């Protein structure tokens, strides 16, 4: 990984047991210089073998339990993170955890809609709300906007784009996912407007269509193809990006 200024002191990522979350953790640990603290959260740390292995290799990673739909779990991890980051606060929160349940118009049910909305939209808002005091602490006295100060990155999807619906007709097989990610983009817009005066930046980021359990084998990209791009985008974030919808190459996507 190329040498560049430290992205941030501390970063917390949700859903790191596998896929993009795990790739981001690996990528961050390999940057030079790396963050002082990479907080890799997952539902079941004992089963997250790759994360456990990384914890043995690197002194700046902590593997913490977080189920993003559990209030109890959010409260417990917040306490742990408060103790770890102290008065410096938390610089960067990546809301990555997500699920997909395929459902066409014929198949979609109230339950699948609500399940996806809970995990892919509501959880991101509640996790962000919980960590806000720590993000505010990190933002205090800082200048400019970005991951060096305080940033919230919601991992969205280009399938959330209302303008691309006609172009990406294949997504019509995934009504719940598509709609929940569009709502997540509204979370981004609201937070960006609300937290601007605190110096906290918020964006939505499409990570690329990637071969993961969710992305499937048909996806054109592998995790290692996109992580350097995502990290470059994170490093480049500044005031003008607040409230934007970017892809892994830094291109602006239409809402
Ligand atoms: N892959 C793509 O092509 C693609 C494209 C656009 C956007 N995205 C977005 O990128 C993010 C990561 O996707 P991925 O491809 O890495 O998916 P993935 O391989 O299916 O991994 C999903 C991750 O989210 C975690 N997760 C699910 N529900 C959770 C919960 N309630 N609490 C905590 N963690 C939870 C999973 O943990 P467990 O191991 O415990 O299940 C897993 O670590 C998602 O938000 C997804 O929508 C992916």
């Amino acid at each position: 990984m190329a040498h560049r200024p430290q992205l941030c002191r501390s970063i917390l990522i949700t859903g790191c047991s596998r896929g993009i979350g795990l790739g981001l953790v690996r990528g961050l640990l390999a940057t030079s210089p790396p963050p002082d603290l990479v907080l890799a959260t997952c539902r079941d740390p004992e089963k997250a073998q790759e994360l456990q292995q990384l914890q043995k290799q690197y002194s700046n990673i902590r593997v913490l339990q977080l189920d993003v739909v559990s209030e109890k779990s959010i409260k417990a991890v917040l306490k742990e993170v408060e103790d770890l980051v102290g008065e410096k606060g938390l610089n960067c929160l990546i809301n990555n955890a997500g699920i997909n349940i395929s459902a066409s118009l014929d198949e979609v049910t109230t339950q699948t809609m609500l399940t996806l909305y809970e995990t892919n939209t509501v959880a991101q808002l509640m996790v962000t709300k919980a960590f806000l005091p720590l993000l505010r602490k990190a933002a205090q006295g800082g200048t400019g906007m970005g991951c060096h100060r305080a940033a919230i990155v919601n991992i969205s999807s280009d399938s959330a784009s209302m303008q691309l619906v006609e172009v990406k007709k294949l997504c019509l097989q995934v009504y719940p996912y598509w709609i929940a990610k569009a709502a997540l983009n509204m979370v981004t817009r609201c937070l960006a407007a609300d937290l601007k005066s605190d110096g906290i930046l918020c964006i939505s980021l499409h990570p690329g269509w990637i071969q993961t359990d969710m992305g499937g084998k048909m996806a054109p990209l592998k995790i290692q193809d996109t992580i350097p791009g995502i990290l470059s985008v994170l490093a480049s974030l500044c005031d003008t990006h607040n409230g934007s919808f970017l892809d892994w190459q830094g291109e602006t996507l239409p809402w």
Side-chain angles (χ1 to χ4, degrees), residues 127-141:
V127 167
T128 302
K129 194 176 157 187
F131 284 107
L132 209 45
L134 298 186
L135 290 162
R136 284 203 169 107
K137 240 180 214 177
Q140 257 168 26

Side-chain angles (χ1 to χ4, degrees), residues 21 44 56-57 64 67 117 120 127 148 158 183 229 237 254:
D44 191 345
K56 283 184 193 142
Q57 265 174 277
L64 305 173
D67 181 339
Y117 188 56
N120 289 3
V127 167
H148 66 283
D158 61 353
L237 294 178

